[in-house]
Amino acid sequence: MWLFNSSVGRKVVMSVSGAALVLFLLFHGAMNLVAIISEEGYNMICEFLGANWYALVGTLGLAFLTVVHIVYAFILSVQNYRARGRERYAVTDRQESVEWASKNMLVLGFIILCGLSLHLFNFWYKMQFTEIMHSAGASINDIALATNGVHWIKETFACPVYVVLYLLWLGAIWFHLTHGVWSALHTLGWNNNIWMPRIKCIGNIVSTLVVLMFAAVVVYYFGLSLGASCMLS
């Protein structure tokens, strides 16, 4: 099947899975902003998207897309590395014009994967996974915390180390997306001279919007934590 056996097919799989993940990031970022506007409203969303069947189906779907995207990213990176051969040591005008993000997508992907692991531990593991274990009969001290997203946001971003790590992670996501969004649209056919500048602009806007939505929550709750510490001292 050409989707798996050809270079073009692999790029299409990468593009489609990446586009789906970007749509999820836009949804997730918008959902997180609710925590700034209304903590009660955010916790209601967390309860709605807890260990319910539709949320679990969505989680499995996202996990599948993420694994596919990572595996194909690795395959294409190795394929490109082998195809370049000795040319990778040559300095040419074409190589100098390639964006930094394009040349470092695998490194950025590794940083993003590490940040994702940390994020899953800080939130998914303490929320949806805890609900799943509770439903399976495990003894949980305070199951109410599993749907209290604001509690975990406050606890996580009260720690300066987590704040720095998350902002670095979001920076890597921004660089990854600025190349990834337009590259995906390019692969899917929007690759003529008229649309290329437009989709690069769209990619930059989408990437910046995603990162700003997540960063706003990090900075806002870190600021609240600092304010509370100043009042107590």
Side-chain angles (χ1 to χ4, degrees):
M1 188 176 181
W2 74 275
L3 282 176
F4 306 101
N5 298 326
S6 72
S7 176
V8 174
R10 295 188 191 104
K11 289 180 180 178
V12 169
V13 172
M14 269 284 288
S15 299
V16 172
S17 60
L21 291 172
V22 170
L23 290 176
F24 167 73
L25 287 175
L26 286 169
F27 163 76
H28 193 12
M31 184 188 83
N32 283 0
L33 287 180
V34 176
I36 297 177
I37 301 168
S38 170
E39 294 184 353
E40 181 181 351
Y42 181 73
N43 282 340
M44 288 176 63
I45 295 174
C46 291
E47 185 174 357
F48 177 73
L49 296 175
N52 301 301
W53 69 268
Y54 44 84
L56 293 177
V57 170
T59 300
L60 291 174
L62 284 169
F64 174 76
L65 286 172
T66 302
V67 170
V68 167
H69 195 73
I70 291 171
V71 169
Y72 273 74
F74 181 77
I75 291 173
L76 286 171
S77 295
V78 172
Q79 176 183 300
N80 292 337
Y81 182 83
R82 289 177 175 174
R84 286 198 302 268
R86 295 183 63 87
E87 291 181 7
R88 62 180 176 270
Y89 299 108
V91 178
T92 64
D93 292 338
R94 182 178 179 275
Q95 286 177 328
E96 290 175 354
S97 66
V98 176
E99 298 144 330
W100 181 87
S102 176
K103 294 187 290 185
N104 293 278
M105 288 296 276
L106 193 61
V107 175
L108 290 170
F110 178 75
I111 296 172
I112 291 169
L113 184 59
C114 291
L116 177 61
S117 300
L118 180 65
H119 185 65
L120 290 174
F121 171 74
N122 283 331
F123 293 98
W124 178 80
Y125 174 75
K126 298 173 182 177
M127 297 177 71
Q128 189 180 71
F129 181 76
T130 299
E131 281 196 84
I132 294 172
M133 295 303 294
H134 176 71
S135 299
S139 178
I140 307 297
N141 292 331
D142 191 355
I143 189 61
L145 288 178
T147 56
N148 191 341
V150 173
H151 168 81
W152 297 115
I153 289 176
K154 288 180 176 179
E155 181 176 274
T156 301
F157 301 128
C159 174
V161 174
Y162 277 139
V163 171
V164 171
L165 289 175
Y166 266 82
L167 292 179
L168 289 174
W169 179 43
L170 291 172
I173 290 175
W174 186 84
F175 279 110
H176 190 82
L177 291 182
T178 51
H179 173 74
V181 172
W182 77 259
S183 180
L185 294 176
H186 178 275
T187 298
L188 294 175
W190 290 10
N191 53 7
N192 56 56
N193 293 331
I194 296 176
W195 272 100
M196 183 56 68
R198 296 176 182 176
I199 63 175
K200 285 190 175 183
C201 181
I202 292 171
N204 289 337
I205 292 172
V206 170
S207 306
T208 303
L209 181 61
V210 166
V211 169
L212 285 179
M213 286 192 294
F214 282 94
V217 176
V218 176
V219 174
Y220 176 79
Y221 277 95
F222 180 61
L224 286 184
S225 174
L226 283 180
S229 298
C230 291
M231 290 179 64
L232 292 174
S233 60

